[in-house]
Amino acid sequence: MWEIRGLLDKMVGGVGLQRGRRHPIDVKAGDSIDFWRVLAVDRRAERMLLYAEMKLPGEAWLQFRICREADGNYLEQLAAFRPDGLAGRLYWYAMLPFHFVIFKGMAHNIIHYREPLIEKSLPPPQHSQ
């Protein structure tokens, strides 16, 4: 059963369904996060750039940046796709409505599930005697 799923995952999605993450919150250049390869993590600029390693008719990048404003902070998400010929263009336009849903959900999950992951990954507090 698992062998069939693994074969289907590779044929349809590429490498992403088979791997997870090295660490839930510590991310470094070169890490894989599901379908993505981390190209750059700039903590000072609060920016992360990912490259898609899924099977696509083109190349895709995804950038996250934390923007700090006087009225609050927000997460900027930028997707870029370089289509490979007509198939790539058809893919992009066919997926466009779904990308709005997918990326909105991705941003929501990043924002709302960050705190529990941090709490789980921190060592227990040390009590002084």
Side-chain angles (χ1 to χ4, degrees), residues 71-129:
D71 59 343
N73 304 328
Y74 65 93
L75 178 67
E76 177 186 80
Q77 199 174 16
L78 175 66
F81 183 70
R82 183 170 60 189
D84 185 14
L86 180 60
R89 292 181 196 288
L90 291 172
Y91 165 83
W92 182 254
Y93 289 112
M95 291 298 296
L96 194 58
F98 302 105
H99 281 139
F100 286 114
V101 174
I102 292 167
F103 291 141
K104 183 178 180 181
M106 187 185 300
H108 178 271
N109 289 339
I110 289 169
I111 292 166
H112 289 92
Y113 294 109
R114 180 179 178 272
E115 286 78 15
L117 286 174
I118 290 173
E119 289 173 12
K120 284 182 189 176
S121 68
L122 293 175
Q126 300 294 321
H127 298 287
S128 59
Q129 297 185 19

Side-chain angles (χ1 to χ4, degrees), residues 56-73:
L56 295 170
E59 294 181 293
W61 295 266
L62 184 58
Q63 177 178 280
F64 295 100
R65 186 169 65 103
I66 298 172
C67 300
R68 304 202 182 268
E69 302 288 331
D71 59 343
N73 304 328

Side-chain angles (χ1 to χ4, degrees), residues 5-37:
R5 180 174 179 210
L7 180 60
L8 287 173
D9 291 347
K10 286 181 183 176
M11 290 172 52
V12 176
V15 295
L17 298 174
Q18 310 243 314
R19 60 185 187 190
R21 300 174 185 181
R22 181 184 56 79
H23 191 274
I25 61 170
D26 179 39
V27 179
K28 298 177 183 175
D31 282 355
S32 63
I33 301 176
D34 303 325
F35 292 106
W36 303 93
R37 176 69 56 189

